Amino acid sequence: MSKVEFKQLSPADFFYRNRELAGFDSPVKSLYTAFREIIENSFDGAEIGGINPDVFVSIKEKSDDVYTIFISDNGIGIPGNKVPQALAKLLFGGKYVERQSRGHFGLGASMTVLYSQITTNLPTRVLSCTRGSDVIDEYHLMIDIQRNEPIIRYHNQIPNKKKWHGVAVEVNIEGDYKRAHPKILDYIESTALVAPYASITFIDAYGILYKFNKIVDEVPKLGKAVLPHPRGIDTEKMLRLIRVAKQKSMKNFLTSNFQRVGEITAINFLKYVNIKPDKVPDQLDHDEIVRCVQGMNSYEDFLSPETKCLSPIGETVLEAGILKELEPMFVTTVTRKPQAYSGHPFVVEVAMAYGGNKIEAASEPTLFRFANRIPLLYDQYADVAAKVIRSFNWRMYKVPQNAKLAIITHIASTKVPYRTAGKESIADRPELEREMRLAMQVCARKMRVYLSRIEREERSAKRASIFEKYLPYIAQFATKLSGKKQVPPTDFVAGGKGRDKE
Amino acid sequence: MSKVEFKQLSPADFFYRNRELAGFDSPVKSLYTAFREIIENSFDGAEIGGINPDVFVSIKEKSDDVYTIFISDNGIGIPGNKVPQALAKLLFGGKYVERQSRGHFGLGASMTVLYSQITTNLPTRVLSCTRGSDVIDEYHLMIDIQRNEPIIRYHNQIPNKKKWHGVAVEVNIEGDYKRAHPKILDYIESTALVAPYASITFIDAYGILYKFNKIVDEVPKLGKAVLPHPRGIDTEKMLRLIRVAKQKSMKNFLTSNFQRVGEITAINFLKYVNIKPDKVPDQLDHDEIVRCVQGMNSYEDFLSPETKCLSPIGETVLEAGILKELEPMFVTTVTRKPQAYSGHPFVVEVAMAYGGNKIEAASEPTLFRFANRIPLLYDQYADVAAKVIRSFNWRMYKVPQNAKLAIITHIASTKVPYRTAGKESIADRPELEREMRLAMQVCARKMRVYLSRIEREERSAKRASIFEKYLPYIAQFATKLSGKKQVPPTDFVAGGKGRDKE
């Protein structure tokens, strides 16, 4: 009875058993997650090459509860020999550098292949071609889950006559499309909202076509890969750096391996942690390593993290996207200055859009959340943005009850502090919460100016309508009183404002 | 610029980079998570052997922001040669069977060792001895994170003179104890609440001793490992079963490899999916496998899952724990019948405790959540129990505003649908939500009977106090009126109820 068998799980087997951790739980959520994972890879694949994404995606019913998702993009493609691992091996990926990208976990695409396989027992079809390549690689892939290795069911090379580059994926997923449909539409529309530089063509499972054409040309500049910032370093990272370091002194080691550390900072810091500047890095003893790492996290005179690794949407592009998709009467956007939490830089962007016919009137603002340009549609209540909004006193900002108010939030970071691997809500790190609050205040103040003007105009319109109503009687009365025959004109009040008569 | 480097991560490296997914994010949360992970292993280690857990645990400040957690238990111990992997290799564990246990992920202990290492660069000290063994194995362990392999810094065998068995762990963690302290205390107290069969001795970082002695002897019967239920099977699981199956017919394959499937059920089911009963399992073609798996998930005539793999707390033990720890005026408990979601059986237990001096009066009920006997202290708002409580109209159940009401919920399952690997909140699966609601209704109705009685008593006490006040005057008046001298006694109203005079 008390015998315990021990066993090692492969990463694929672990996530097969705990797939809800990667966003694959119910048939609704799984279909949605598969859909977004492959779209996000397509966007990343185009933006990394400075290409305006042009993505075609369709969902089609294959049989009862089984749907075929097909996507084709114009990105840089995956090199032919890497395709099997990139799509059919978990935790294998090209995203493990300090740079902002949609994917973080090396999980999304391969989890989709895995989920397809366990629900339909079918391989995933992949086409890939890099720029300038003469051949397109076609694979039919499955995963050996117990060993976490790709199984290649079919491989062929096709001549690339049309000079296509990008990735195309055809995957079959068991799911509940009817209930996933609204989320999938929200996802596509939200993506268009923050990516007005992309073209998306989508055909839903009912056969309806949705087309979002790009309205700006400028592709967001991709964040650059950077050295790590000293804040947020742990001993593991430190030991890895020391292991491969060629520098013969701690001073040079620090300036060469960390961002924002020049000679003077290095010398001052080494003094702070009581390590000699000419100490050879791989001769640090245990205590010195720990002192150095702890010092990096407590030393206050490091410059704040570099931000060229970040790629915010920008106020202009964000505004263009909102005007196109939400058609509000008023919009204001703010891109805050970069900040950092435990060594990871981030930028908060907030927009508020008011009025029009597309934003619904509601007792609470309609919130559109984004992180590294990914729309977040689930678990809103747990998100830092929702927390900040709840704390606002909207009356102070002249926002009426049941207002048509939409709030758009975007967090760009080399490491978004998601609460789960399913990437649905963002944790309330204090630094993040503060920036979010400040950004919302900036927007809300600008909106108050607009709303005050509206309020003033409405009040004077109301006053004018009272004048309009009574002035003719007063005029008649005054005319009689003065013994005149001709009543003077009384429509100048409304006329003076250019307002239409009711 | 558009060059992408590909790389494979080991599971250890993945969770090192994404440690917040396993509950290690802030210095507060990390210390708390480390603490609970090692306590949970100790409890599992004792209960699996039918032993009343007797656990000693202490936290001590080692240096600035570094704390030493030491735990020693009386469990069945880990075999000496398995210790390095069990504690210093991720996704290695003894818990991958269909049976209820606290841990699910094979992550907790090794993540604690990993986090200790990256924050303090120190090895974790482990002692282990199985029952009846003559030697105790001592290890000092670290993890080769890039390869996910244990590093043994020290190994020794000590004679086991006192016939000890169990595991002892000493681990150093950087953390924020001051802010983690309340959560750690809550955790210990909550654990005692649902484990009155265990003894816990705890010394906190300020040196204060907490002792919880067992008050019942009966150790909960461990759930038994069982065959999988057909509902919830996917093609991967099916293929694995077929690969090792020795049965020569589908009929025998089904009855031997699944729970609750007898001959008749097997034959009817095979008819339902149009597969011949004498078909050899490993000759099923692709379509037949898919049909069989989909059929298992849609066929409605399977018996509901076995429940001997579950180990609920039980109404008596739960009540004993609550009376001891919360000292309420009223308590009621209910253990529901087992149910299942996608093939995983679960039992919901709910208790309501009212009044007394330990439960605080609050506008909302105080909620104590448990899953497989683990207290859940974070992310309450996202939990299914909180959702159900919010939906209740407490006035209907005679609960006054600002009541001293505590609600205790426990979900026992072979697979608790946690929202994250940090095991903090439970997803609102419809089957689970329904059971939770029904259990709460049962308790709330019983509580209403009690509260109605209280209300009646208070009302009659109030009435009595009015009588008490006026009766002497009425008596005097009546005495005068009747011309008598002697006023009759008037204290029988209060006296009759045995109520103290004010």
Side-chain angles (χ1 to χ4, degrees):
Chain A
M1 174 168 177
S2 63
K3 184 103 181 61
V4 179
E5 271 177 57
F6 287 92
K7 194 169 158 182
Q8 173 71 31
L9 286 192
S10 79
D13 214 346
F14 175 79
F15 279 104
Y16 159 62
R17 288 158 191 256
N18 300 291
R19 46 193 178 267
E20 65 279 7
L21 300 183
F24 290 86
D25 44 27
S26 67
V28 183
K29 184 80 180 290
S30 299
L31 191 58
Y32 166 76
T33 301
F35 183 78
R36 63 175 275 191
E37 290 291 358
I38 59 177
I39 289 198
E40 278 154 25
N41 280 337
S42 284
F43 268 77
D44 273 343
E47 287 170 22
I48 205 171
I51 302 165
N52 287 93
D54 192 345
V55 175
F56 173 88
V57 57
S58 68
I59 303 187
K60 227 175 145 174
E61 186 163 6
K62 184 185 163 71
S63 58
D64 273 7
D65 294 334
V66 175
Y67 294 85
T68 306
I69 306 177
F70 174 76
I71 193 164
S72 179
D73 66 44
N74 62 339
I76 60 167
I78 301 166
N81 60 340
K82 300 284 187 199
V83 170
Q85 292 182 300
L87 277 115
K89 182 168 183 155
L90 271 72
L91 310 192
F92 183 91
K95 290 171 181 169
Y96 301 114
V97 287
E98 286 284 302
R99 172 164 65 188
Q100 175 188 334
S101 71
R102 288 187 173 73
H104 263 305
F105 296 126
L107 261 184
S110 44
M111 268 308 287
T112 304
V113 173
L114 188 152
Y115 192 77
S116 160
Q117 165 176 337
I118 64 173
T119 55
T120 69
N121 200 27
L122 290 170
T124 297
R125 212 179 124 234
V126 184
L127 297 173
S128 178
C129 187
T130 53
R131 282 192 283 198
S133 167
D134 292 332
V135 288
I136 298 169
D137 281 272
E138 177 178 3
Y139 284 96
H140 297 185
L141 296 171
M142 295 186 85
I143 303 176
D144 179 337
I145 294 177
Q146 281 169 310
R147 289 172 49 237
N148 191 30
E149 289 294 340
I151 300 171
I152 300 170
R153 280 294 172 84
Y154 173 85
H155 178 211
N156 190 21
Q157 292 194 318
I158 314 161
N160 184 20
K161 287 179 187 160
K162 301 276 187 190
K163 298 288 167 211
W164 173 67
H165 54 85
V167 174
V169 176
E170 187 181 273
V171 62
N172 299 289
I173 294 274
E174 193 186 293
D176 179 346
Y177 183 79
K178 216 181 250 174
R179 289 175 56 208
H181 179 73
K183 286 278 180 197
I184 284 175
L185 277 196
D186 280 355
Y187 179 83
I188 284 274
E189 283 169 3
S190 301
T191 300
L193 187 73
V194 293
Y197 53 84
S199 297
I200 310 172
T201 308
F202 171 51
I203 301 177
D204 74 13
Y206 305 117
I208 298 167
L209 172 78
Y210 304 79
K211 227 168 149 21
F212 302 87
N213 292 320
K214 74 176 165 106
I215 53 164
V216 298
D217 278 323
E218 186 200 357
V219 182
K221 263 190 201 134
L222 198 76
K224 284 187 182 148
V226 292
L227 295 174
H229 189 273
R231 189 149 309 130
I233 288 294
D234 53 52
T235 59
E236 173 71 16
K237 183 90 189 174
M238 189 68 164
L239 290 169
R240 287 188 194 183
L241 289 173
I242 289 174
R243 214 175 294 148
V244 297
K246 292 194 183 83
Q247 295 80 24
K248 292 290 161 222
S249 76
M250 276 306 285
K251 196 190 75 189
N252 291 344
F253 170 76
L254 291 178
T255 55
S256 312
N257 287 287
F258 295 92
Q259 52 164 274
R260 310 294 250 164
V261 180
E263 288 224 358
I264 295 167
T265 307
I267 289 169
N268 286 339
F269 171 73
L270 287 167
K271 208 168 166 185
Y272 172 73
V273 292
N274 196 19
I275 294 172
K276 288 196 183 127
D278 56 357
K279 180 101 188 180
V280 182
D282 64 8
Q283 286 176 9
L284 288 182
D285 65 20
H286 164 82
D287 282 349
E288 285 168 327
I289 287 171
V290 172
R291 218 157 62 223
C292 190
V293 168
Q294 290 189 337
M296 283 180 168
N297 287 289
S298 62
Y299 188 64
E300 294 190 346
D301 292 343
F302 289 120
L303 296 173
S304 51
E306 290 215 37
T307 53
K308 64 184 178 196
C309 49
L310 295 181
S311 157
I313 301 171
E315 298 180 357
T316 327
V317 173
L318 187 55
E319 194 174 310
I322 291 169
L323 286 172
K324 180 187 164 215
E325 295 299 326
L326 297 181
E327 299 172 7
M329 303 290 285
F330 169 84
V331 61
T332 179
T333 60
V334 60
T335 299
R336 297 277 308 166
K337 286 217 184 98
Q339 299 288 334
Y341 77 92
S342 8
H344 306 295
F346 69 91
V347 167
V348 167
E349 302 184 280
V350 166
M352 293 192 183
Y354 190 90
N357 295 319
K358 285 206 165 177
I359 302 169
E360 277 178 38
S363 60
E364 284 172 13
T366 308
L367 176 58
F368 295 88
R369 297 173 295 133
F370 298 87
N372 289 351
R373 295 156 200 275
I374 302 177
L376 310 179
L377 300 181
Y378 282 87
D379 296 348
Q380 177 171 310
Y381 52 84
D383 194 278
V384 60
K387 185 181 172 192
V388 171
I389 289 176
R390 279 196 296 270
S391 76
F392 261 61
N393 179 359
W394 292 102
R395 272 197 218 149
M396 257 183 58
Y397 295 98
K398 304 274 185 194
V399 178
Q401 283 194 320
N402 281 308
K404 291 179 174 181
L405 172 58
I407 299 180
I408 296 90
T409 62
H410 180 235
I411 293 167
S413 178
T414 49
K415 180 140 179 58
V416 177
Y418 289 112
R419 284 187 192 273
T420 65
K423 291 184 284 186
E424 291 300 352
S425 66
I426 295 171
D428 52 345
R429 296 289 182 117
E431 301 87 345
L432 210 61
E433 191 175 328
R434 186 172 164 275
E435 277 301 300
M436 189 62 86
R437 186 178 312 282
L438 291 172
M440 288 211 191
Q441 283 169 352
V442 169
C443 284
R445 272 187 218 119
K446 284 192 196 151
M447 189 170 61
R448 180 171 56 187
V449 174
Y450 167 79
L451 290 174
S452 300
R453 186 158 57 79
I454 295 286
E455 203 184 73
R456 259 199 322 276
E457 281 179 12
E458 276 177 0
R459 225 185 296 131
S460 71
K462 208 171 167 187
R463 212 183 303 130
S465 98
I466 292 172
F467 279 137
E468 268 174 48
K469 215 166 158 185
Y470 293 106
L471 205 55
Y473 299 103
I474 296 171
Q476 279 178 19
F477 173 77
T479 310
K480 263 191 198 159
L481 197 69
S482 64
K484 296 237 169 103
K485 295 265 145 143
Q486 182 72 20
V487 180
T490 56
D491 57 354
F492 57 88
V493 178
K497 286 246 165 207
R499 199 166 152 277
D500 290 342
K501 277 197 188 177
E502 280 167 24
Chain B
M1 175 166 177
S2 63
K3 184 105 181 60
V4 179
E5 271 177 56
F6 288 91
K7 194 169 158 183
Q8 173 71 31
L9 285 192
S10 79
D13 213 346
F14 176 80
F15 280 104
Y16 159 62
R17 287 158 191 256
N18 299 291
R19 46 192 178 267
E20 64 279 7
L21 300 183
F24 290 86
D25 43 28
S26 67
V28 183
K29 185 79 180 291
S30 300
L31 192 58
Y32 165 76
T33 301
F35 183 78
R36 63 174 275 190
E37 290 291 358
I38 59 177
I39 289 197
E40 278 154 26
N41 280 337
S42 284
F43 269 77
D44 273 343
E47 287 170 22
I48 206 171
I51 303 165
N52 287 92
D54 192 344
V55 175
F56 173 88
V57 57
S58 68
I59 303 187
K60 226 175 146 174
E61 186 163 6
K62 185 185 163 69
S63 59
D64 273 7
D65 295 333
V66 175
Y67 294 85
T68 306
I69 306 177
F70 174 76
I71 193 165
S72 179
D73 66 44
N74 62 339
I76 60 167
I78 301 166
N81 60 341
K82 300 284 187 199
V83 170
Q85 293 183 300
L87 277 115
K89 182 167 184 156
L90 271 72
L91 311 191
F92 183 91
K95 291 171 181 169
Y96 301 113
V97 287
E98 286 284 300
R99 172 164 65 188
Q100 174 188 334
S101 70
R102 287 187 174 73
H104 263 305
F105 296 125
L107 262 184
S110 43
M111 268 308 287
T112 304
V113 173
L114 189 152
Y115 192 77
S116 160
Q117 165 176 337
I118 64 173
T119 55
T120 69
N121 200 27
L122 290 170
T124 296
R125 212 178 124 234
V126 184
L127 297 173
S128 178
C129 187
T130 53
R131 282 193 282 198
S133 167
D134 291 332
V135 288
I136 298 169
D137 281 272
E138 177 177 3
Y139 284 95
H140 296 186
L141 296 171
M142 295 185 85
I143 303 176
D144 179 338
I145 295 177
Q146 280 169 310
R147 290 171 50 237
N148 192 29
E149 289 294 341
I151 301 171
I152 300 170
R153 280 293 173 85
Y154 174 85
H155 178 211
N156 190 21
Q157 292 194 319
I158 314 161
N160 183 20
K161 288 179 186 158
K162 301 275 187 190
K163 298 288 167 210
W164 174 66
H165 54 85
V167 174
V169 176
E170 187 181 273
V171 62
N172 299 289
I173 294 275
E174 193 186 292
D176 179 346
Y177 184 78
K178 216 181 249 174
R179 289 175 56 209
H181 179 73
K183 285 278 180 197
I184 284 174
L185 277 195
D186 280 355
Y187 179 83
I188 284 274
E189 283 168 3
S190 301
T191 300
L193 187 72
V194 293
Y197 53 84
S199 297
I200 310 171
T201 308
F202 171 50
I203 301 176
D204 74 13
Y206 304 117
I208 298 167
L209 172 78
Y210 304 80
K211 226 166 150 22
F212 302 86
N213 291 320
K214 74 176 165 105
I215 53 164
V216 298
D217 278 324
E218 186 200 356
V219 182
K221 261 189 202 136
L222 198 75
K224 283 186 183 149
V226 292
L227 295 174
H229 189 273
R231 188 148 310 130
I233 287 294
D234 53 53
T235 59
E236 172 71 16
K237 182 90 189 175
M238 188 68 164
L239 290 169
R240 287 188 194 183
L241 289 173
I242 289 175
R243 214 175 295 148
V244 297
K246 293 193 183 83
Q247 295 80 24
K248 292 290 161 222
S249 76
M250 275 306 285
K251 196 190 74 189
N252 291 344
F253 170 75
L254 291 178
T255 55
S256 311
N257 287 287
F258 295 92
Q259 52 164 275
R260 310 295 250 163
V261 180
E263 288 225 358
I264 296 169
T265 306
I267 289 169
N268 286 339
F269 171 73
L270 287 167
K271 208 168 168 185
Y272 172 73
V273 292
N274 196 19
I275 293 172
K276 288 196 183 128
D278 56 357
K279 179 101 188 180
V280 182
D282 63 8
Q283 285 176 11
L284 288 182
D285 65 20
H286 164 83
D287 282 350
E288 286 169 325
I289 287 172
V290 172
R291 218 158 62 225
C292 191
V293 168
Q294 290 188 337
M296 284 181 168
N297 288 288
S298 62
Y299 189 64
E300 293 190 346
D301 292 342
F302 289 121
L303 296 172
S304 52
E306 290 216 36
T307 53
K308 64 184 178 196
C309 49
L310 295 181
S311 158
I313 301 171
E315 298 180 357
T316 327
V317 172
L318 187 54
E319 193 174 311
I322 291 169
L323 286 172
K324 180 187 165 216
E325 295 299 326
L326 298 180
E327 298 171 7
M329 302 289 285
F330 169 84
V331 62
T332 179
T333 60
V334 61
T335 299
R336 297 276 308 165
K337 285 215 183 101
Q339 299 289 334
Y341 76 92
S342 9
H344 306 294
F346 68 90
V347 167
V348 167
E349 302 184 280
V350 166
M352 293 192 184
Y354 190 90
N357 294 320
K358 284 206 166 178
I359 302 169
E360 277 178 37
S363 60
E364 284 172 12
T366 308
L367 176 58
F368 296 88
R369 297 174 294 134
F370 298 87
N372 289 351
R373 295 156 201 275
I374 302 177
L376 310 179
L377 300 181
Y378 281 87
D379 296 347
Q380 177 171 310
Y381 52 85
D383 194 278
V384 60
K387 186 180 171 192
V388 171
I389 289 176
R390 278 195 297 270
S391 76
F392 261 61
N393 179 358
W394 291 102
R395 271 197 218 150
M396 257 183 56
Y397 295 98
K398 304 275 186 192
V399 178
Q401 283 194 319
N402 281 307
K404 291 179 174 180
L405 171 59
I407 300 180
I408 296 89
T409 63
H410 180 236
I411 293 167
S413 178
T414 49
K415 181 139 178 59
V416 177
Y418 290 112
R419 284 188 193 273
T420 65
K423 290 183 285 185
E424 291 300 353
S425 66
I426 295 171
D428 52 346
R429 296 289 182 116
E431 301 87 344
L432 209 61
E433 191 175 329
R434 185 173 164 275
E435 277 301 300
M436 189 63 86
R437 186 179 312 281
L438 291 172
M440 288 210 192
Q441 283 169 351
V442 170
C443 284
R445 273 188 219 119
K446 284 192 197 150
M447 190 170 60
R448 179 172 55 187
V449 174
Y450 166 78
L451 290 174
S452 301
R453 186 159 56 80
I454 295 286
E455 204 185 73
R456 261 200 319 276
E457 281 179 12
E458 275 177 0
R459 225 185 295 131
S460 72
K462 208 171 167 188
R463 212 183 303 130
S465 98
I466 292 172
F467 279 138
E468 267 175 49
K469 216 165 157 186
Y470 293 106
L471 205 56
Y473 299 103
I474 296 171
Q476 279 179 19
F477 174 77
T479 309
K480 264 190 198 159
L481 197 69
S482 64
K484 297 238 169 105
K485 295 266 143 138
Q486 182 73 20
V487 180
T490 56
D491 57 354
F492 57 87
V493 179
K497 287 247 164 205
R499 200 166 150 277
D500 289 342
K501 277 196 189 178
E502 281 167 23

